[in-house]
Amino acid sequence: MMRLLLINTAGGEGSVALADTEVAPAIVAEEVLPGRTSSERLVPAVRRLMEARGWRLSELAAVVVVHGPGSFTGVRVGLSAAKGFSEAGGVGLIAVSRLALLAAGVDGGGGPVHAVLDAGRGEFYYGEYVGRRCLREVLMGVDDLPAAVAGGIVVVCEVKVADALVGVRPKMVDEPMAGDALPFALERIAAGEFDDVATLDANYLRRTDAEIFAKPAASRAAK
């Protein structure tokens, strides 16, 4: 028997879920945290769901958190709460990429799946996956996207991104929920692969300093 707490506050709406592998379906409770209310509602929602089922943190097999990329505040809120629950219960912590969940929303048929999320300011979070295996995750500009997504299936969950990629006919799916991280978590638990609470950081996919400073230099050289 394995019981898990799953948290996702990286997207437009947050969500929390409880999973029990002894029953079907395994997601036994789930609550949506509307809009940008995750910071106020997350911890009370977790307590409410846990108490309703009579669960204790120490009984969990793991606390699972979607650690980005996405909303800066949302990611920090979810990650901080997950670390706190993990330490309070003395249980393992597992972090899952939001891009990985998005890619898992479609069947790639063994080929590459390109997951794309809005990063603001004309940039996008991009991930390339085959099954649950990540080939790469990067932050890129709109001009780089067409070449990156050539071949394979493109999946998005935001209208703004779908509009930017209309030429490649992306598949629109629902925003990933906390419960969608369960298959990834079970795979990690089976392999004994837990994250370190002290060192785990948010998955922001920032540009490197080399990339940031290279663009102005290239612009000056072109003049």
Side-chain angles (χ1 to χ4, degrees):
M1 178 189 75
M2 281 195 290
R3 293 175 174 176
L4 299 94
L5 164 63
L6 304 105
I7 297 170
N8 180 6
T9 56
E13 280 191 325
S15 58
V16 295
L18 301 181
D20 185 341
T21 58
E22 275 208 337
V23 301
I27 300 298
V28 296
E30 194 161 31
E31 185 169 326
V32 173
L33 311 172
R36 301 188 179 278
T37 64
S38 298
S39 58
E40 298 85 15
R41 300 192 183 196
L42 175 57
V43 172
V46 170
R47 287 176 177 161
R48 185 165 54 251
L49 293 181
M50 295 279 289
E51 289 173 0
R53 302 198 69 85
W55 288 15
R56 290 192 292 269
L57 287 172
S58 59
E59 298 172 341
L60 298 175
V63 175
V64 185
V65 61
V66 179
H67 69 142
S71 159
F72 180 89
T73 301
V75 169
R76 297 307 306 179
V77 166
L79 186 58
S80 296
K83 286 186 173 188
F85 288 131
S86 172
E87 291 186 316
V91 297
L93 179 66
I94 294 173
V96 180
S97 167
R98 184 173 167 228
L99 284 167
L101 298 189
L102 181 58
V106 299
D107 181 2
V113 174
H114 307 284
V116 186
L117 292 162
D118 181 32
R121 299 181 180 179
E123 294 187 310
F124 297 86
Y125 300 121
Y126 165 80
E128 183 179 5
Y129 280 80
V130 174
R132 295 197 190 105
R133 183 167 62 91
C134 177
L135 301 184
R136 59 172 174 157
E137 286 190 354
V138 296
L139 179 68
M140 64 172 57
V142 66
D143 293 337
D144 301 320
L145 272 178
V149 302
I153 296 173
V154 182
V155 58
V156 302
C157 64
E158 299 159 315
V159 173
K160 183 177 180 179
V161 181
D163 290 343
L165 292 170
V166 65
V168 297
R169 297 184 178 180
K171 290 184 177 291
M172 174 72 85
V173 300
D174 292 332
E175 170 76 36
M177 301 282 285
D180 294 326
L182 180 60
F184 292 85
L186 295 180
E187 198 172 74
R188 293 270 301 279
I189 291 171
E193 297 175 353
F194 293 88
D195 289 291
D196 187 288
V197 176
T199 60
L200 177 64
D201 199 2
N203 183 22
Y204 287 133
L205 296 186
R206 295 190 183 96
R207 288 191 183 278
T208 64
D209 287 345
E211 290 174 315
I212 292 170
F213 293 117
K215 284 199 169 184
S219 298
R220 288 194 297 270
K223 288 182 178 180

